[in-house]
Amino acid sequence: MINFQTFPGQYKHWALSIDGSVAKLSMDVQEDQTLADGYKLKLNSYDLGVDIELADAVQRLRFEHPEVRAVVITSLKPRIFCAGANIYMLGTSSHAFKVNFCKFTNETRCAIEDDARHSGRRYIAALNGTASGGGYELAIACDEIYLVDDGNSAVSLPEVPLLGVLPGTGGLTRLVDKRKVRRDRADVFSTLAEGLKGKRAKEWGLIDDSFPKSKFQEEIDARVREVAQADGSPNDGGVKLNPLAVESSADARDYKYISLRMNREKRYADLTVREPESKLPTTPDEIQKLGDSYWPLCAFRELDDVLLHLRVNEPEIGLVCLRTEGSIDNVLSVDKTLAAHREHWLIREIILNMARVLRRLDLTAKSFFAIIEPGSCFAGSLLELMLASDRSYMLNNPEVAQTSVCISELSAGALPMSNGLTRLQSRFLAEPAKVDEVLAHERPFDTEAAEEAGLVTFAPDELDWDDEIRLAIEERTSLSPDALTGMEASLRFAGPETMDTKIFGRLTAWQNWIFQRPNAVGPQGALTNYGKPTQARFDYKRT
Amino acid sequence: MINFQTFPGQYKHWALSIDGSVAKLSMDVQEDQTLADGYKLKLNSYDLGVDIELADAVQRLRFEHPEVRAVVITSLKPRIFCAGANIYMLGTSSHAFKVNFCKFTNETRCAIEDDARHSGRRYIAALNGTASGGGYELAIACDEIYLVDDGNSAVSLPEVPLLGVLPGTGGLTRLVDKRKVRRDRADVFSTLAEGLKGKRAKEWGLIDDSFPKSKFQEEIDARVREVAQADGSPNDGGVKLNPLAVESSADARDYKYISLRMNREKRYADLTVREPESKLPTTPDEIQKLGDSYWPLCAFRELDDVLLHLRVNEPEIGLVCLRTEGSIDNVLSVDKTLAAHREHWLIREIILNMARVLRRLDLTAKSFFAIIEPGSCFAGSLLELMLASDRSYMLNNPEVAQTSVCISELSAGALPMSNGLTRLQSRFLAEPAKVDEVLAHERPFDTEAAEEAGLVTFAPDELDWDDEIRLAIEERTSLSPDALTGMEASLRFAGPETMDTKIFGRLTAWQNWIFQRPNAVGPQGALTNYGKPTQARFDYKRT
């Protein structure tokens, strides 16, 4: 079982050091400390274990070190920054694992950009040696890229010429859409195994500058000082992210606010999120004292962990029924506090984390049904769980107990999808006015009102409820898991596109296709034969 | 060899009738008139042959029947509109053929929308029976959808539940992005094999209306009259599209203005476009008299045909070297005439056709290199060939003969890519000001000026020219054809996305992936086992 939790004291492959407002993330991959057998992580190449540490470090910087303004990403190995994803690991992994690996590494790079965009930290890739493949893709996720000019070091995307696959961690998209490299140059660069060195790399926009070896550190330091001094930053200590408490058994996983129950033979899971406590603090100071046990931080960290667990460790679970338990008022009260103080660094980070976790849900290749019953609390931030679901079922029982859902201050834009829209906007593309109507409705919607407003898919009454849910689950889990993945990827992201949706929707889909092709993974495929005495042999038919 | 040329007198599956400003396109697929053996086209299901006729009919309406304002698409079979792409055809086709088939049918549907958007014809899908899968996808490409209410007829996308593949002809994208059906309803609809009938289909936005069987024809007629009378329309006879003259041999294909030479052992082709005649007519009346032999209409129809030929009949050709021959002045003179009269219906159609053909090139899964030598005429509309190429090589020979390229009035927006940008805008995403600089440069660019302006990728001198081109070709054709397809699809379409780019980039990539998956096409896959006594069995791992 793969564990996504770690902390700096446990890192094997990265060193995180903080000096005032500057953080340094140094890559020093330990060859033998792999997540699986059968490969060695030479030349700062990485597997999922290495990226889990990177994701953890980026997350920690945001909560534990708000004073940091500049993050330098560099390598402790001489002459090599990072050789990218380990080829032998890819060559020996299942298709599903490769796809999940790429998705996670993509999310980590998007998280770096999210930090830069919303929290103003500036990421500087100090390439003290060659950055190839995923190594350059990590650099291109940073704001600035500097390459040592030592006559040897280069940046490259050798996947197409050497491996017969794509640079699948956003490289192609970021080349033309982020750095806006001219498409013909991007074409040349992406087919050139040895890549490009300082002068031409700079001329083509692949890096921001290159410095001779003797001056490299000095130039990086100077640039980092400039960035670090650019603005003031809070220095009130941050909030420590402690390990999540989780009890797990064969078919269950229980966190403080989240429970997961596997129905293995039926290939679905019930995921329940529990309400916050009543009377939580309402000022940033008190919240900062409460730290990582504050509900919106703790519950969404747990949700993140459980989603990653489901993706990687529970591949046969095809459907997740999302449920909530508790008082709508308690959720609304937390949202109100968050909305009131969203300018405060910690509250901002808590909200941004919720948004990232919800996007992780949108991008998870499982079906999600929201199940709304009496005693549930799909309100505000938790209403997003319902809106993120592929469908929702809400019990219609007007005469017995009240079942309701409710918007909050966070429904109007604080928790955007990857396409830049709110989930309400995505839902009501046809009738944008409905978004405003729903947002103006500040009291809870009972089932009939929710159905009338277009918020829920189905509203069966008590007579039909059990059968309808059971049938819907049976039907869903009987369908082709691949067709569902492609369908959900197409239906969840209507409307505008962003670099993120292009990476997850377009680039990833092409990579998944290529990861299935004999030219890459067959006995004579390029990925299979990389590093072996045998040569790849292609079926040259163009498709 | 598949032939993409046809004409109404030769149609086997469609009847095209014109009555004043109304055209009727009636589907009546002949079961046994298939393009290949091994399947029957029952229930108005279609194969590529059926779609070639549809594409031809839509194209002819634009040129031969400019007076037509409303196009009714319906079926001559009782109780069935269209059952979609033939499953047995898909089940017995190679992966490459399936992908090319879907691409062409997608382009046909985009051509219908292009006609509606730019030429003001209104397409009305009169569903006199069930429209399932590709049948509904054809309907959803129309502007209005009316379904008969006979207690039985439905619209449906049964691909996911029945076949384990996606509705791959734009259906999922158009559901949520064109008709803006709510995503949860789209999810339900796309997993419901039997689809939805009149009332709910209308309520969910899947159709515009439904009428009882007894009134169906009457209601359609009334709506069509309304549309047809909405505005005046030219009635000066149109321009007949005659069959293209083409001489073909084992390794060559010669049209009036285009030649194709196959270098089979090296897996590339040379495609040369020849200049227009000098002193072509300059007024719409004269051009209309000249008809389909007018260079920009003839040469681009030929280009379209040769691209389709390359895609489907020459799968092993991985690279096309684009060349032009003739006088830049002759090309510019044609462009000047076109730009001056672009409001005239025929000139508008000629330009829109050029734009569609160039988009067909952008979407072709082959590499394109533009080769610019003395005597070439990459100017205006033909400059787009260079800009559409993955790379360009321009000979630098200032002391001998002049080599040049040139923009024209058509470079500024008349020939947009699928992403809505001009090829110059796509090229200079990083420096939008360069687009204006290039457009302001009305005289030809010699090689140094073209390189300086960022228009060409490489400009070798005569000493290096032959070797550099030879090496570039050898390198390109040695790479994995699948990796190149994914790479080109990612690099060609930087910047904004449209419904078209979503269909070709995102939906198609997912479908291509699924078309490779054992759950669809393996011995136990759903596509393989459809209609057989055996049942599909899935590997339920989610990817």
Short mmCIF file of all heavy atoms in Angstrom, two decimals, chain A residues 118-157:
data_model
loop_
_atom_site.label_atom_id
_atom_site.label_comp_id
_atom_site.label_asym_id
_atom_site.label_seq_id
_atom_site.Cartn_x
_atom_site.Cartn_y
_atom_site.Cartn_z
N HIS A 118 -1.34 32.36 -6.31
CA HIS A 118 -2.26 32.86 -5.29
C HIS A 118 -1.58 33.30 -4.01
O HIS A 118 -2.14 34.08 -3.26
CB HIS A 118 -3.31 31.79 -4.98
CG HIS A 118 -4.18 31.46 -6.15
ND1 HIS A 118 -5.03 32.38 -6.71
CD2 HIS A 118 -4.31 30.34 -6.88
CE1 HIS A 118 -5.66 31.83 -7.73
NE2 HIS A 118 -5.24 30.59 -7.85
N SER A 119 -0.41 32.76 -3.73
CA SER A 119 0.21 33.08 -2.45
C SER A 119 1.49 33.88 -2.65
O SER A 119 2.17 34.20 -1.68
CB SER A 119 0.47 31.80 -1.66
OG SER A 119 -0.75 31.11 -1.48
N GLY A 120 1.82 34.14 -3.91
CA GLY A 120 2.90 35.09 -4.18
C GLY A 120 4.31 34.59 -3.92
O GLY A 120 5.26 35.36 -4.00
N ARG A 121 4.46 33.30 -3.58
CA ARG A 121 5.82 32.78 -3.49
C ARG A 121 6.36 32.64 -4.90
O ARG A 121 5.62 32.38 -5.84
CB ARG A 121 5.86 31.43 -2.79
CG ARG A 121 6.32 31.52 -1.33
CD ARG A 121 6.15 30.21 -0.61
NE ARG A 121 4.74 29.90 -0.48
CZ ARG A 121 3.95 30.42 0.46
NH1 ARG A 121 4.44 31.23 1.37
NH2 ARG A 121 2.67 30.13 0.50
N ARG A 122 7.65 32.86 -5.06
CA ARG A 122 8.24 32.77 -6.39
C ARG A 122 9.18 31.57 -6.41
O ARG A 122 10.06 31.44 -5.56
CB ARG A 122 8.98 34.06 -6.72
CG ARG A 122 9.10 34.28 -8.21
CD ARG A 122 9.17 35.73 -8.62
NE ARG A 122 9.47 35.78 -10.04
CZ ARG A 122 8.56 35.81 -11.01
NH1 ARG A 122 7.28 35.84 -10.70
NH2 ARG A 122 8.92 35.83 -12.28
N TYR A 123 8.98 30.68 -7.36
CA TYR A 123 9.76 29.46 -7.48
C TYR A 123 10.85 29.65 -8.52
O TYR A 123 10.58 30.03 -9.66
CB TYR A 123 8.86 28.27 -7.85
CG TYR A 123 8.05 27.77 -6.67
CD1 TYR A 123 6.94 28.47 -6.22
CD2 TYR A 123 8.43 26.60 -5.98
CE1 TYR A 123 6.21 28.03 -5.12
CE2 TYR A 123 7.70 26.15 -4.89
CZ TYR A 123 6.59 26.87 -4.46
OH TYR A 123 5.88 26.43 -3.38
N ILE A 124 12.07 29.38 -8.10
CA ILE A 124 13.22 29.57 -8.97
C ILE A 124 13.92 28.24 -9.18
O ILE A 124 14.39 27.62 -8.22
CB ILE A 124 14.18 30.61 -8.33
CG1 ILE A 124 13.46 31.97 -8.30
CG2 ILE A 124 15.49 30.68 -9.09
CD1 ILE A 124 14.12 32.99 -7.44
N ALA A 125 13.96 27.81 -10.43
CA ALA A 125 14.65 26.57 -10.73
C ALA A 125 16.11 26.90 -11.01
O ALA A 125 16.42 27.57 -11.99
CB ALA A 125 14.01 25.89 -11.94
N ALA A 126 16.99 26.46 -10.11
CA ALA A 126 18.42 26.70 -10.27
C ALA A 126 19.04 25.41 -10.80
O ALA A 126 19.41 24.52 -10.04
CB ALA A 126 19.04 27.10 -8.94
N LEU A 127 19.13 25.33 -12.12
CA LEU A 127 19.57 24.09 -12.76
C LEU A 127 21.09 24.06 -12.79
O LEU A 127 21.72 24.59 -13.69
CB LEU A 127 18.99 23.97 -14.17
CG LEU A 127 17.48 24.21 -14.31
CD1 LEU A 127 17.01 24.02 -15.75
CD2 LEU A 127 16.69 23.31 -13.38
N ASN A 128 21.65 23.45 -11.76
CA ASN A 128 23.11 23.34 -11.64
C ASN A 128 23.67 22.18 -12.46
O ASN A 128 24.82 21.80 -12.31
CB ASN A 128 23.50 23.18 -10.17
CG ASN A 128 22.77 22.00 -9.54
OD1 ASN A 128 21.58 21.83 -9.77
ND2 ASN A 128 23.47 21.21 -8.75
N GLY A 129 22.82 21.61 -13.31
CA GLY A 129 23.24 20.52 -14.18
C GLY A 129 22.09 20.23 -15.13
O GLY A 129 21.08 20.95 -15.12
N THR A 130 22.23 19.19 -15.90
CA THR A 130 21.23 18.87 -16.92
C THR A 130 19.86 18.57 -16.32
O THR A 130 19.75 17.85 -15.32
CB THR A 130 21.74 17.69 -17.76
OG1 THR A 130 22.77 18.20 -18.64
CG2 THR A 130 20.63 17.08 -18.61
N ALA A 131 18.85 19.13 -16.95
CA ALA A 131 17.45 18.86 -16.57
C ALA A 131 16.79 18.23 -17.78
O ALA A 131 16.56 18.90 -18.78
CB ALA A 131 16.74 20.15 -16.19
N SER A 132 16.52 16.93 -17.68
CA SER A 132 15.93 16.28 -18.85
C SER A 132 14.59 15.68 -18.51
O SER A 132 14.34 15.27 -17.37
CB SER A 132 16.88 15.24 -19.42
OG SER A 132 17.31 14.36 -18.42
N GLY A 133 13.70 15.65 -19.48
CA GLY A 133 12.39 15.06 -19.30
C GLY A 133 11.65 15.70 -18.14
O GLY A 133 11.50 16.91 -18.07
N GLY A 134 11.21 14.84 -17.21
CA GLY A 134 10.50 15.34 -16.05
C GLY A 134 11.32 16.34 -15.25
O GLY A 134 10.75 17.14 -14.49
N GLY A 135 12.64 16.31 -15.40
CA GLY A 135 13.48 17.31 -14.73
C GLY A 135 13.23 18.69 -15.30
O GLY A 135 13.05 19.67 -14.56
N TYR A 136 13.16 18.78 -16.62
CA TYR A 136 12.84 20.07 -17.22
C TYR A 136 11.38 20.43 -16.96
O TYR A 136 11.03 21.60 -16.78
CB TYR A 136 13.16 20.07 -18.72
CG TYR A 136 12.82 21.40 -19.36
CD1 TYR A 136 13.46 22.57 -18.96
CD2 TYR A 136 11.84 21.49 -20.34
CE1 TYR A 136 13.13 23.80 -19.51
CE2 TYR A 136 11.52 22.72 -20.91
CZ TYR A 136 12.16 23.87 -20.49
OH TYR A 136 11.82 25.09 -21.04
N GLU A 137 10.51 19.42 -16.92
CA GLU A 137 9.10 19.71 -16.63
C GLU A 137 8.90 20.26 -15.22
O GLU A 137 7.98 21.04 -14.98
CB GLU A 137 8.27 18.44 -16.82
CG GLU A 137 8.12 18.05 -18.29
CD GLU A 137 7.32 16.78 -18.47
OE1 GLU A 137 7.75 15.75 -17.93
OE2 GLU A 137 6.28 16.82 -19.12
N LEU A 138 9.76 19.84 -14.29
CA LEU A 138 9.70 20.43 -12.96
C LEU A 138 10.16 21.89 -13.03
O LEU A 138 9.54 22.79 -12.45
CB LEU A 138 10.58 19.62 -11.99
CG LEU A 138 10.77 20.19 -10.59
CD1 LEU A 138 9.42 20.42 -9.90
CD2 LEU A 138 11.63 19.25 -9.73
N ALA A 139 11.22 22.12 -13.79
CA ALA A 139 11.73 23.49 -13.93
C ALA A 139 10.69 24.41 -14.56
O ALA A 139 10.49 25.55 -14.12
CB ALA A 139 13.01 23.48 -14.77
N ILE A 140 9.99 23.90 -15.57
CA ILE A 140 9.05 24.75 -16.32
C ILE A 140 7.79 25.02 -15.50
O ILE A 140 7.01 25.91 -15.84
CB ILE A 140 8.76 24.12 -17.71
CG1 ILE A 140 8.38 25.19 -18.72
CG2 ILE A 140 7.71 23.06 -17.63
CD1 ILE A 140 8.20 24.64 -20.13
N ALA A 141 7.61 24.28 -14.41
CA ALA A 141 6.51 24.60 -13.49
C ALA A 141 6.89 25.76 -12.56
O ALA A 141 6.03 26.34 -11.90
CB ALA A 141 6.11 23.38 -12.67
N CYS A 142 8.18 26.08 -12.54
CA CYS A 142 8.65 27.20 -11.72
C CYS A 142 8.48 28.52 -12.47
O CYS A 142 8.23 28.53 -13.67
CB CYS A 142 10.12 27.00 -11.34
SG CYS A 142 10.41 25.55 -10.30
N ASP A 143 8.66 29.62 -11.74
CA ASP A 143 8.48 30.93 -12.37
C ASP A 143 9.70 31.35 -13.18
O ASP A 143 9.57 32.09 -14.14
CB ASP A 143 8.22 31.98 -11.28
CG ASP A 143 6.99 31.64 -10.48
OD1 ASP A 143 5.89 31.71 -11.04
OD2 ASP A 143 7.13 31.28 -9.29
N GLU A 144 10.86 30.94 -12.73
CA GLU A 144 12.09 31.35 -13.40
C GLU A 144 13.01 30.15 -13.51
O GLU A 144 13.07 29.32 -12.60
CB GLU A 144 12.80 32.45 -12.58
CG GLU A 144 11.89 33.64 -12.31
CD GLU A 144 12.55 34.70 -11.43
OE1 GLU A 144 13.79 34.70 -11.29
OE2 GLU A 144 11.80 35.54 -10.87
N ILE A 145 13.73 30.07 -14.61
CA ILE A 145 14.64 28.94 -14.84
C ILE A 145 16.02 29.46 -15.19
O ILE A 145 16.18 30.22 -16.16
CB ILE A 145 14.16 28.05 -16.01
CG1 ILE A 145 12.67 27.68 -15.83
CG2 ILE A 145 15.01 26.80 -16.12
CD1 ILE A 145 12.11 26.89 -17.02
N TYR A 146 17.02 29.08 -14.39
CA TYR A 146 18.41 29.45 -14.68
C TYR A 146 19.23 28.18 -14.84
O TYR A 146 19.14 27.25 -14.03
CB TYR A 146 18.96 30.33 -13.57
CG TYR A 146 18.13 31.58 -13.41
CD1 TYR A 146 17.24 31.72 -12.35
CD2 TYR A 146 18.19 32.60 -14.36
CE1 TYR A 146 16.43 32.84 -12.23
CE2 TYR A 146 17.38 33.72 -14.26
CZ TYR A 146 16.50 33.84 -13.19
OH TYR A 146 15.70 34.94 -13.10
N LEU A 147 20.05 28.17 -15.88
CA LEU A 147 20.83 26.97 -16.22
C LEU A 147 22.31 27.29 -16.15
O LEU A 147 22.75 28.34 -16.64
CB LEU A 147 20.46 26.52 -17.65
CG LEU A 147 21.24 25.34 -18.24
CD1 LEU A 147 20.99 24.05 -17.45
CD2 LEU A 147 20.86 25.14 -19.71
N VAL A 148 23.06 26.38 -15.54
CA VAL A 148 24.50 26.59 -15.48
C VAL A 148 25.09 26.43 -16.89
O VAL A 148 24.64 25.58 -17.68
CB VAL A 148 25.16 25.60 -14.49
CG1 VAL A 148 25.05 24.17 -14.99
CG2 VAL A 148 26.60 25.96 -14.20
N ASP A 149 26.05 27.28 -17.20
CA ASP A 149 26.72 27.20 -18.50
C ASP A 149 28.10 26.60 -18.26
O ASP A 149 29.06 27.30 -17.95
CB ASP A 149 26.81 28.62 -19.10
CG ASP A 149 27.49 28.61 -20.45
OD1 ASP A 149 27.84 27.52 -20.94
OD2 ASP A 149 27.67 29.71 -21.01
N ASP A 150 28.17 25.27 -18.35
CA ASP A 150 29.43 24.57 -18.05
C ASP A 150 29.89 23.78 -19.27
O ASP A 150 30.69 22.86 -19.17
CB ASP A 150 29.25 23.62 -16.85
CG ASP A 150 28.13 22.61 -17.10
OD1 ASP A 150 27.56 22.61 -18.22
OD2 ASP A 150 27.81 21.83 -16.18
N GLY A 151 29.35 24.13 -20.42
CA GLY A 151 29.73 23.46 -21.65
C GLY A 151 29.04 22.12 -21.83
O GLY A 151 29.19 21.47 -22.87
N ASN A 152 28.26 21.73 -20.86
CA ASN A 152 27.70 20.39 -20.90
C ASN A 152 26.21 20.35 -20.54
O ASN A 152 25.44 19.64 -21.15
CB ASN A 152 28.49 19.49 -19.92
CG ASN A 152 28.15 18.04 -20.14
OD1 ASN A 152 28.09 17.58 -21.28
ND2 ASN A 152 27.88 17.33 -19.05
N SER A 153 25.86 21.11 -19.53
CA SER A 153 24.49 21.03 -19.01
C SER A 153 23.48 21.58 -20.02
O SER A 153 23.71 22.59 -20.66
CB SER A 153 24.38 21.81 -17.70
OG SER A 153 25.13 21.15 -16.70
N ALA A 154 22.35 20.87 -20.12
CA ALA A 154 21.33 21.23 -21.09
C ALA A 154 19.95 21.02 -20.48
O ALA A 154 19.80 20.36 -19.45
CB ALA A 154 21.47 20.36 -22.34
N VAL A 155 18.97 21.60 -21.12
CA VAL A 155 17.58 21.24 -20.82
C VAL A 155 17.08 20.43 -22.01
O VAL A 155 17.46 20.69 -23.16
CB VAL A 155 16.68 22.48 -20.59
CG1 VAL A 155 17.11 23.21 -19.33
CG2 VAL A 155 16.69 23.43 -21.78
N SER A 156 16.24 19.44 -21.72
CA SER A 156 15.78 18.59 -22.82
C SER A 156 14.47 17.90 -22.48
O SER A 156 14.14 17.72 -21.31
CB SER A 156 16.84 17.52 -23.14
OG SER A 156 16.96 16.62 -22.06
N LEU A 157 13.75 17.55 -23.51
CA LEU A 157 12.57 16.69 -23.40
C LEU A 157 12.80 15.51 -24.34
O LEU A 157 12.34 15.50 -25.47
CB LEU A 157 11.29 17.46 -23.78
CG LEU A 157 10.83 18.57 -22.84
CD1 LEU A 157 9.60 19.29 -23.41
CD2 LEU A 157 10.50 18.04 -21.44
#
